């Protein structure tokens, strides 16, 4: 191996660790460019294993290698494969042994890389992977064993959440055949070794690290179904799981705040038996009572230290799973049992601990993430809350009665000494929210509430008085709870209550406590999403509702937003929502807002770090531009003046995260221009056609959108001058199964807006490319887009022009297109506009094409085509695709979601290619038939008589609606 290459890569790997973005970003770009070079992957593996290289650089090489595999291993037919077949074979032949002999930090990265490779290649293209791992299990070296188990876990864990399919079943069956017996034998061996080495600290830790991985693998291999291989060994697994839950050894106890191995093993066992209680109850029934007892004892004997959080959470989740099932009702229905669960498990685990308060104060993002986003799946509070709801599903009246007594007692303790006992009030607010909410989604908040809890009365008696406190920094946790209550029950609280709350929420935006002002913004944002109950297409809140406190609302939000410290996605999201409600009434505040927001965008463009915040910032710009400039076009220049210098910087520095957003905002501003287009857009256009931009999948949707805007606004100037380059883009996209729909977006815009004399020079070549692609690689998506294009072309240029163009490629082609495309696939066209375009195009073919009426055989085709058109009007869309078709939908494009996010505010408005001339396609068909009937009396009724009765009935309705009588 060339040492110069190794040394050069080491230098760049070192630079990628620099905190300075001016050093780090160029190094990252260099390594990304190197990915296309042969041997890049194998060289990185050599660096991972280079013993004389500092460990941090070896780790960096392993991370870079994993990311390289993640980006490039999956083969995409539309993108040049960056990894040669030799490199693929070289990597697969060496990575397993290297992973097993590497330090743990490197082993973790290489194990993940194996998992990524196996997702594409295992087992068909990598049949020797699993047998090789099983063979190495026999070495007896526990470092090797753990490496094997870690790799197996990384491969198998996806079975936990993959959708069922024959392909998945086949793979799991293969895995079970190779791995189930060895892992069961290893489990028995490990259980035996526990007793032998119970006094050896190092040995028992290594053994338990293997036990932990085995229990995780057990969970993955049983996730989809209960396999025979494990059913035959049920006694072995469950008896030892039960013993492990009850096992204790001081040598395994964690001396830090992190969970120790014994806690992790017990936690995983709780997760495993939850799966069995939930999915395999009949097989698990004999063991369940013993596990309930063991888990209960575990919960009542485990302290409140954070290192036990995951264990307690999973243990409570097991009790919840059991409590939800009516067949286990007898275990809980005793009044004393319910009281004991409430007192000994639920209440203690609802109280905030000092460590939780530290998170609230010192790590607000983490606190908010767990609380607002409900990503608190592993917390005691979330588990206790789930248990409350599980018990309420079976014993709601008893549980509410039990907790009502606790709530009253806790409120009395709080009232006696609020400063000391505020945590009691916090528990009350959390508990009431949990008891009252019987169904909840992130989008809508509480969707169903308990009839036993008066949500509105509690708001008025408890929440509103809290919020009325003028000190916005007083009792911050309580205030955050109050605002979360409003967010949760916004659907149930009447508009008057929410209107009363809004000024308080605006005031709490001035709190200097991050959680408090974030919750205030979040509550406002959630409230403003509400729809008018009488008309769900309208917002509940209108600009006048916000006017009394509008200056404070906007200034308070802007004061929070700061580069780095104030990149708060909830705050910018609340601003976005305010802009949506205000629409053009925001114009008086626009100058200050543009200065503030462009300053913020300029700062974060230097080092983008928070994708959600960035998205909502660009979305806010889009909303401001659309709302303000539609009514007042002079404001466009103000946005362009402020944004273009930042846009230039983004393009010059190739800040890939922002470029798709930039293209979308450029599209929006360009489309809003009525008069002459500023020269800066002309200067940019040649750059947009550069092939290198269209090579990046994440850029294509936004680039296409921008190119359409140029075609619409500048078809006779800059687009006409660069038409060859535009068609080059079309040619590139039409060859791609992934991106061919973007080719049609461009082509349809050209047909709609370009002068016919310009298009006439190139149209035959365009049709040739379309039929070439249809012949070489036909997909349902391609055919649907073709039918729309053919119909639009027919409407724009006439059916005879379409017929002549198709026939010029091959005699008889027109009738083949009608019979094999339109009649077969018209029903598959989706989208209201697309179906209307097809309806109009087909109507013109039926009534203006003499070829279809020239002989008896063609007339039969005419009747079939009309029946298809009536089916398009009356039948649901046909969503079937060919069995052997595997074209990639846009959302499955590798890297698509990561690279491109659609801005709702900048989405392209549906054009009307008919310029308002055809409001109703059914009426258009009726009128067209009337014209045909006038030119050829008696023929049309004779043809219509051949329609099936259902189609005849529908057609009569169209004729009646159009007030047409055929002759």
């Amino acid at each position: 191996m060339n040492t110069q290459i190794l040394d050069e890569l080491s230098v760049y790997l070192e630079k990628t660790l620099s905190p300075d973005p001016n050093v780090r970003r160029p190094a990252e770009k260099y390594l990304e460019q190197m990915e296309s070079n042969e041997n890049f992957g194998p060289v990185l593996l050599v660096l991972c294993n280079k013993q004389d290289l500092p460990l941090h650089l070896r780790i960096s090489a392993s991370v870079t290698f994993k990311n390289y595999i993640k980006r490039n291993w999956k083969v995409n037919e539309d993108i040049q494969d960056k990894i040669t077949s030799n490199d693929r074979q070289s990597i697969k032949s060496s990575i397993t042994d290297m992973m097993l002999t590497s330090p743990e930090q490197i082993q973790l990265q290489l194990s993940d890389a194996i998992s990524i490779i196996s997702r594409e290649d295992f087992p068909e293209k990598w049949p020797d992977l699993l047998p090789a791992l099983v063979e190495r299990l026999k070495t007896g070296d526990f470092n090797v064993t753990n490496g094997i188990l870690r790799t197996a876990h990384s491969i198998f864990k996806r079975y936990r959440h993959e959708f069922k399919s024959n392909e998945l079943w086949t793979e799991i069956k293969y895995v079970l055949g190779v791995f189930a017996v060895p892992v069961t034998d290893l489990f028995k061996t490990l259980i035996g070794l526990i007793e032998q080495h119970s006094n050896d600290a190092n040995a028992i830790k290594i053994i338990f690290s293997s036990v932990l991985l085995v229990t995780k693998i057990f969970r993955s291999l049983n996730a989809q179904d209960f396999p025979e291989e494990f059913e035959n060994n049920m006694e072995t697994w469950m008896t030892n799981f039960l013993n492990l839950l009850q096992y204790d050894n001081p040598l395994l106890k964690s001396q830090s705040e992190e969970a120790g191995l014994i806690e992790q093993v017990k936690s995983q066992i709780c997760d495993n038996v939850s799966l069995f209680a939930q999915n395999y109850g009949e097989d698990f029934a004999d063991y369940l009572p013993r596990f309930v007892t063991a888990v209960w004892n575990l919960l009542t004997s485990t302290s409140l230290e954070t290192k036990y959080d995951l264990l307690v959470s999973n243990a409570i989740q097991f009790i919840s799973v059991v409590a939800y099932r009516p067949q286990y009702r007898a275990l809980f229905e005793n009044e004393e049992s319910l009281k004991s669960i409430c007192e000994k498990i639920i209440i203690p685990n609802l109280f905030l601990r000092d460590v939780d308060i530290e998170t609230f104060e010192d790590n607000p993002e983490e606190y908010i993430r767990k609380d607002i986003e409900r990503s608190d799946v592993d917390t005691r509070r979330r588990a206790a809350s789930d248990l409350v709801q599980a018990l309420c599903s079976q014993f709601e009246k008893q549980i509410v009665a039990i907790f009502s007594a606790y709530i009253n007692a806790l409120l009395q303790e709080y009232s006696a000494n609020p400063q000391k006992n505020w945590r009691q009030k916090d528990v009350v607010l959390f508990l009431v929210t949990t008891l009252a909410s019987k169904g909840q989604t992130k989008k809508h908040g509480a969707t169903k509430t308990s009839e036993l809890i008066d949500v509105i009365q509690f708001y008025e008696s408890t929440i509103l008085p809290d919020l009325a406190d003028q000190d916005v920094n007083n009792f911050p946790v309580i205030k955050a709870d109050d605002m979360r209550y409003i967010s949760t029950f916004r659907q149930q609280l009447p508009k008057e209550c929410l209107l009363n709350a809004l000024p308080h929420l605006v005031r709490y935006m001035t709190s200097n406590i991050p959680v408090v002002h974030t919750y205030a913004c979040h509550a406002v944002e959630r409230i403003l999403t509400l729809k008018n109950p009488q008309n769900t297409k309208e917002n509940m809140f209108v600009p006048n509702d916000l006017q009394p406190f509008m200056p404070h609302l906007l200034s308070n939000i802007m004061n929070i937003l700061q580069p780095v410290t104030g990149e708060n996605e909830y705050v910018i999201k609340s601003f976005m929502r305010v802009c949506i409600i205000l629409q053009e009434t925001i114009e008086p505040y626009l100058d200050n807002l543009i200065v503030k927001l462009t300053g913020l965008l300029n700062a974060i463009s230097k080092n983008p770090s928070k994708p959600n915040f960035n998205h909502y910032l660009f979305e806010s710009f889009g909303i401001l531009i659309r709302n303000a400039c539609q009514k007042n076009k002079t404001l466009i220049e103000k946005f362009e003046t402020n944004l273009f210098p930042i846009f230039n910087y983004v393009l010059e520095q190739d800040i890939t995260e922002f470029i798709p957003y930039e293209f979308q905002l450029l599209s929006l501003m360009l489309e809003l221009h009525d008069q002459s287009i500023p020269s800066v857009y002309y200067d940019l256009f040649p750059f947009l056609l550069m092939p290198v931009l269209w090579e990046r999948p994440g850029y294509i949707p936004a680039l296409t959108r921008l190119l359409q805007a140029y075609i619409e606004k500048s078809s006779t100037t800059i687009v006409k001058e660069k038409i060859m380059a535009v068609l080059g883009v079309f040619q590139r996209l039409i060859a791609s199964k992934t991106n061919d729909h973007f080719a049609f977006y461009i082509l349809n815009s050209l047909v709609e807006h370009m002068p016919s004399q310009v298009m006439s020079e190139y149209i035959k070549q365009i049709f040739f490319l379309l039929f070439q692609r249809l012949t070489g690689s036909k997909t349902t998506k391609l055919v649907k887009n073709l039918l729309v294009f053919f119909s639009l072309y027919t409407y724009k240029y006439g059916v005879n022009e379409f017929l002549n163009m198709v026939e010029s490629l091959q005699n008889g082609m027109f009738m083949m297109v009608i019979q094999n495309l339109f009649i077969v696939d018209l029903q598959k066209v989706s989208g209201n506009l697309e179906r209307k375009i097809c309806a109009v195009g087909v109507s013109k073919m039926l009534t203006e094409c003499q070829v279809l009426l020239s002989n008896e055989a063609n007339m039969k085709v005419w009747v079939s085509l009309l029946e298809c058109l009536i089916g398009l009007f009356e039948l649901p869309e046909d969503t079937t695709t060919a069995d052997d078709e595997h074209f990639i939908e846009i959302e499955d494009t590798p890297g698509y979601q990561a690279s491109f996010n659609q801005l709702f505010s900048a989405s392209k408005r549906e054009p009307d290619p008919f310029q308002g001339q055809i409001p109703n396609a059914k009426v258009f068909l009726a009128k067209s038939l009337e014209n045909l009937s006038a030119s050829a009396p008696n023929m049309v009724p004779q043809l219509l008589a051949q329609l099936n009765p259902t189609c005849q009935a529908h057609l009569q309705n169209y004729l009646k609606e159009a007030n047409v009588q055929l002759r």
Side-chain angles (χ1 to χ4, degrees):
M1 187 68 67
N2 190 324
T3 56
Q4 184 180 348
I5 294 174
L6 296 176
D7 292 343
E8 185 178 341
L9 279 179
S10 301
V11 169
Y12 280 98
L13 287 170
E14 184 79 69
K15 288 180 179 179
T16 63
L17 303 175
S18 171
D20 182 356
N22 295 319
V23 175
R24 186 181 69 252
R25 290 182 74 95
E28 290 169 346
K29 291 285 180 193
Y30 172 81
L31 291 175
E32 192 177 334
Q33 290 167 358
M34 288 289 287
E35 289 181 1
S36 302
N37 291 5
E38 191 169 1
N39 281 328
F40 181 70
V43 168
L44 284 175
L45 281 180
V46 170
L47 288 173
C48 293
N49 201 35
K50 202 168 187 297
Q51 303 300 318
D52 58 346
L53 201 65
L55 183 60
H56 73 278
L57 286 182
R58 293 175 63 193
I59 295 170
S60 177
S62 68
V63 172
T64 303
F65 175 79
K66 179 191 74 175
N67 291 333
Y68 161 74
I69 294 296
K70 190 174 183 179
R71 279 194 292 267
N72 300 301
W73 194 270
K74 185 174 183 177
V75 177
N76 182 350
E77 64 179 38
D78 295 322
I79 300 173
Q80 184 181 356
D81 191 356
K82 292 183 179 180
I83 309 179
T84 65
S85 57
N86 287 340
D87 281 1
R88 289 174 183 273
Q89 198 53 46
S90 171
I91 288 167
K92 286 193 287 190
S93 64
S94 62
I95 190 172
T96 305
D97 285 343
M98 189 177 295
M99 180 273 297
L100 294 175
T101 56
S102 294
E104 187 174 0
Q105 302 102 309
I106 296 173
Q107 193 175 78
L108 288 169
Q109 300 299 327
L110 296 184
S111 178
D112 282 349
I114 291 174
S115 174
I116 296 164
I117 295 171
S118 69
R119 191 174 182 85
E120 301 302 319
D121 290 13
F122 176 80
E124 289 86 358
K125 297 179 185 176
W126 204 358
D128 55 345
L129 171 63
L130 210 53
L133 292 175
V134 170
E135 185 64 30
R136 295 293 294 269
L137 275 176
K138 300 173 184 176
T139 62
D141 182 336
F142 272 92
N143 287 322
V144 172
T145 297
N146 283 350
I148 293 166
L149 293 174
R150 193 176 290 115
T151 302
H153 169 54
S154 71
I155 296 170
F156 304 154
K157 65 184 177 184
R158 68 184 176 86
Y159 301 157
R160 300 183 184 191
H161 34 253
E162 287 234 336
F163 289 114
K164 288 180 169 66
S165 67
N166 290 334
E167 188 180 346
L168 182 65
W169 286 120
T170 302
E171 181 179 326
I172 292 175
K173 187 177 180 182
Y174 165 76
V175 167
L176 289 166
V178 177
F179 209 75
V181 171
V183 81
T184 302
D185 292 342
L186 177 62
F187 184 53
K188 293 176 189 173
T189 302
L190 292 169
I191 296 299
L193 291 172
I194 288 173
E195 287 304 315
Q196 293 178 31
H197 298 279
S198 58
N199 296 319
D200 184 336
N202 290 330
I204 198 70
K205 286 177 182 175
I206 292 173
I207 292 165
F208 257 78
S209 64
S210 296
V211 170
L212 175 60
L213 288 164
V214 167
T215 57
K216 289 182 176 182
I217 290 169
F218 178 89
R219 172 69 174 78
S220 299
L221 295 182
N222 286 277
Q224 294 281 340
D225 200 4
F226 186 27
E228 183 183 351
E229 290 86 350
F230 289 108
E231 188 177 352
N232 294 338
N233 290 283
M234 181 85 160
E235 183 67 26
T236 297
W237 286 98
M238 291 303 157
T239 301
N240 286 308
F241 280 169
L242 197 59
N243 292 336
L244 286 167
L245 276 182
Q246 297 163 332
Y247 181 78
D248 196 19
N249 188 330
L251 295 176
L252 290 168
K253 294 280 185 181
S254 169
Q255 303 304 312
S256 68
E257 293 182 1
E258 300 295 322
L261 282 167
I262 194 166
E263 289 84 33
Q264 293 179 59
V265 167
K266 290 180 179 183
S267 174
Q268 186 58 53
I269 290 171
C270 287
D271 188 32
N272 293 354
V273 294
S274 291
L275 171 73
F276 273 71
Q278 189 163 351
N279 293 356
Y280 316 126
E282 199 172 307
D283 299 289
F284 189 59
D286 293 342
Y287 300 95
L288 187 131
R290 284 180 280 167
F291 273 102
V292 169
T293 302
V295 171
W296 173 267
N297 292 334
L298 191 67
L299 285 168
T300 53
S301 61
T302 302
S303 75
L304 292 169
E305 291 178 77
T306 54
K307 61 184 166 187
Y308 302 121
D309 283 2
L310 183 59
L311 170 58
V312 170
S313 172
N314 281 352
I316 295 176
Q317 288 294 353
F318 169 70
I319 301 292
S320 298
V321 167
V322 177
Y324 261 121
R325 273 143 187 78
Q327 63 265 39
Y328 305 130
R329 184 184 174 94
L331 292 171
F332 303 96
E333 62 187 352
N334 180 284
E335 187 80 14
E336 289 306 311
S337 296
L338 290 174
K339 283 185 177 178
S340 186
I341 290 172
C342 293
E343 180 183 336
K344 294 181 178 177
I345 296 180
I346 294 172
I347 292 290
N349 286 297
L350 288 180
F351 269 91
L352 288 178
R353 302 160 298 177
D354 289 345
V355 65
D356 300 316
I357 305 303
E358 287 174 16
T359 304
F360 182 96
E361 294 172 347
D362 302 333
N363 192 356
E365 284 191 12
E366 176 70 6
Y367 185 92
I368 292 163
R369 184 179 64 81
K370 288 182 175 179
D371 197 35
I372 288 184
E373 297 179 15
R374 291 181 66 80
S375 64
D376 54 346
V377 286
D378 299 332
T379 66
R380 293 170 181 256
R381 266 199 158 187
R382 174 66 177 273
S385 171
D386 289 347
L387 180 53
V388 170
Q389 295 189 327
L391 293 170
C392 281
S393 72
Q394 303 293 328
F395 317 99
E396 186 177 12
K397 285 187 178 178
Q398 298 97 306
I399 292 296
V400 170
I402 291 168
F403 279 124
S404 293
Y406 280 111
I407 287 168
N408 290 331
L410 290 168
L411 284 175
Q412 286 175 12
E413 289 179 35
Y414 168 75
S415 299
N417 190 341
Q419 291 294 337
K420 180 183 177 184
N421 297 329
W422 63 266
R423 295 187 206 205
Q424 280 82 334
K425 176 77 174 280
D426 168 70
V427 171
V428 168
L429 291 167
F430 192 89
L431 197 49
V432 170
T433 303
T434 300
L435 288 168
S437 176
K438 295 181 74 173
Q440 187 172 343
T441 66
K442 185 175 181 181
K443 182 176 181 180
H444 298 292
T447 53
K448 185 180 179 184
T449 55
S450 170
E451 295 176 0
L452 304 177
I453 307 285
D454 190 334
V455 169
I456 299 172
Q457 190 275 331
F458 188 80
Y459 166 81
E460 291 173 342
S461 64
T462 306
I463 304 296
L464 200 55
D466 283 349
L467 292 179
D469 181 1
Q470 292 303 300
D471 186 347
V472 294
N473 297 316
N474 199 24
F475 293 116
V477 175
I478 302 296
K479 303 295 175 52
D481 292 340
D482 292 330
M483 290 184 277
R484 187 187 61 232
Y485 183 93
I486 293 172
S487 298
T488 302
F489 297 110
R490 62 188 180 274
Q491 299 277 0
Q492 290 72 34
L493 294 171
K495 184 175 179 179
E496 296 72 34
C497 289
L498 298 172
L499 276 172
N500 291 336
L502 278 170
H504 294 301
L505 295 173
V506 171
R507 188 163 47 81
Y508 277 95
M509 291 178 182
T510 64
S511 171
N512 56 24
I513 298 167
V515 174
V516 174
H517 66 234
T518 298
Y519 275 45
C521 290
H522 176 66
V524 168
E525 190 271 330
R526 293 287 83 192
I527 288 170
L528 296 183
T529 62
L530 292 172
K531 298 298 179 182
N532 184 344
Q534 278 72 48
N535 184 354
T536 54
K537 291 184 178 181
E538 294 179 354
N539 293 313
M540 177 185 287
F541 290 86
V542 296
N544 283 342
D545 293 326
L546 306 185
Q547 286 304 332
F549 44 83
M550 183 47 52
H552 296 295
L553 173 56
L554 291 174
S555 64
N556 291 351
I557 290 176
M558 288 298 125
N559 287 337
I560 301 172
L561 293 173
Q562 300 292 336
V564 184
T565 58
E567 292 178 34
N568 185 321
E569 69 177 88
Y570 299 99
V571 179
I572 191 65
K573 199 174 179 183
S574 69
F575 174 72
M576 177 196 77
R577 194 68 59 184
V578 169
C579 293
I580 290 172
I581 298 296
L582 289 181
Q583 297 184 17
E584 69 271 13
T585 63
I586 203 167
E587 186 176 334
Y589 309 96
L590 208 53
D591 286 349
N592 290 335
L593 293 175
I594 291 175
V595 170
K596 175 71 178 182
L597 293 173
T598 50
L600 187 61
L601 179 59
N602 186 49
I604 65 173
S605 65
K606 303 295 188 290
N607 189 24
S609 60
K610 295 190 175 179
N612 285 359
F613 178 85
N614 299 338
H615 179 85
Y616 291 122
L617 177 58
F618 279 104
E619 195 76 84
S620 298
F621 271 113
I623 293 165
L624 286 173
I625 292 167
R626 189 179 287 281
N627 287 348
C629 300
Q630 272 186 329
K631 292 276 181 75
N632 185 353
K633 298 298 175 79
T634 61
L635 294 172
I636 302 175
E637 186 180 353
K638 191 172 291 186
F639 282 100
E640 291 170 341
T641 302
N642 283 274
L643 286 173
F644 276 18
I646 304 172
F647 286 176
N648 286 335
Y649 175 82
V650 167
L651 291 173
E652 287 167 2
Q653 298 298 314
D654 194 24
I655 301 171
T656 55
E657 302 96 317
F658 282 7
I659 289 176
Y661 289 125
E662 175 180 329
F663 289 157
Q664 290 177 80
L665 292 186
L666 283 168
S667 305
L668 180 58
M669 291 188 288
L670 179 55
E671 285 173 347
L672 285 168
H673 276 284
D674 280 340
Q675 306 303 320
S676 60
I677 308 303
S679 61
V680 65
Y681 289 99
Y682 289 96
D683 297 338
L684 180 63
F685 190 66
F687 169 77
L688 300 176
L689 300 173
M690 291 174 61
V692 67
L693 286 180
W694 295 88
E695 289 172 3
R696 297 184 176 180
Y699 287 9
I700 291 173
L703 272 171
T704 301
R705 164 97 172 82
L706 183 51
L707 191 49
Q708 284 181 280
Y710 272 98
I711 294 169
E712 179 185 337
K713 292 294 179 180
S714 306
S715 59
T716 59
T717 52
I718 182 70
V719 177
K720 180 180 176 182
E721 294 168 16
K722 299 289 183 182
I723 186 65
M724 287 297 291
V726 172
L727 292 174
V729 169
F730 161 78
Q731 185 172 359
R732 178 192 188 91
L733 295 174
I734 199 63
S736 159
K737 285 185 181 180
T738 305
N739 297 315
D740 53 15
H741 55 297
F742 293 114
F744 281 104
Y745 293 165
I746 294 168
L747 183 55
N748 291 343
S749 291
L750 288 169
V751 168
E752 198 172 339
H753 299 288
M754 286 296 289
S756 57
Q757 62 269 27
V758 176
M759 290 298 292
S760 62
E761 190 177 339
Y762 308 101
I763 197 67
K764 185 171 182 178
Q765 182 63 22
I766 290 171
F767 269 79
F768 176 79
L769 289 171
L770 292 175
F771 280 105
Q772 185 182 55
R773 168 63 207 282
L774 182 66
T775 305
S777 183
K778 180 181 177 181
T779 67
T780 300
K781 178 160 71 95
L782 176 74
V783 171
K784 286 158 66 174
N785 281 300
L786 263 178
L787 293 180
V788 175
F789 167 68
F790 287 162
S791 300
L792 181 65
Y793 187 87
T794 297
Y795 170 75
K796 185 77 175 179
Y797 296 114
V799 66
N800 290 325
E801 181 64 31
F802 174 62
L803 182 151
N804 293 334
M805 182 55 62
V806 173
E807 288 292 307
S808 72
L809 297 176
Q810 182 182 323
N811 286 336
M813 178 86 82
F814 176 75
M815 291 304 296
M816 291 166 60
V817 167
I818 298 297
Q819 291 175 280
N820 299 333
L821 291 180
F822 276 95
I823 291 175
V824 173
D825 291 311
L826 187 62
Q827 198 61 41
K828 294 178 180 175
V829 175
S830 56
N832 292 334
L833 177 65
E834 288 79 2
R835 289 168 80 90
K836 183 178 179 181
I837 290 170
C838 285
V840 170
V842 171
S843 295
K844 290 180 78 67
M845 292 175 194
L846 288 164
T847 58
E848 297 177 14
C849 179
Q850 293 302 312
V851 171
L852 279 172
L853 300 170
S854 61
N855 58 55
E856 190 173 335
N858 286 4
M859 285 183 180
K860 287 183 179 179
V861 174
W862 188 97
V863 173
S864 297
L865 183 59
L866 179 55
E867 286 183 340
C868 286
L869 177 54
I870 295 170
L872 185 72
F873 287 137
E874 304 298 337
L875 298 176
E877 177 192 336
D878 177 3
T879 57
T880 60
T881 56
D883 292 338
D884 59 346
E885 188 176 310
H886 302 292
F887 69 84
I888 302 171
E889 292 291 0
I890 186 167
E891 58 268 20
D892 297 328
T893 306
Y896 179 85
Q897 291 296 334
S899 303
F900 176 74
N901 286 295
Q902 172 75 50
L903 290 177
F904 168 78
S905 59
S907 57
K908 186 172 177 59
R909 298 297 189 249
E910 273 199 348
D912 180 9
F914 312 119
Q915 306 292 317
Q917 299 297 309
I918 307 178
N920 186 324
K922 295 176 183 177
V923 171
F924 179 78
L925 170 62
K927 295 283 189 184
S928 300
L929 287 171
E930 182 182 35
N931 294 335
L932 176 62
S933 180
S935 64
N938 300 324
M939 183 178 68
V940 173
Q942 289 173 14
L943 288 168
L944 299 184
Q946 299 175 44
L947 293 172
N948 67 58
T950 303
C951 287
Q952 287 188 27
H954 286 307
L955 184 59
Q956 285 304 317
N957 290 334
Y958 308 160
L959 296 171
K960 186 177 179 181
E961 185 180 357
N963 196 23
V964 165
Q965 286 188 331
L966 299 179
R967 294 183 285 172

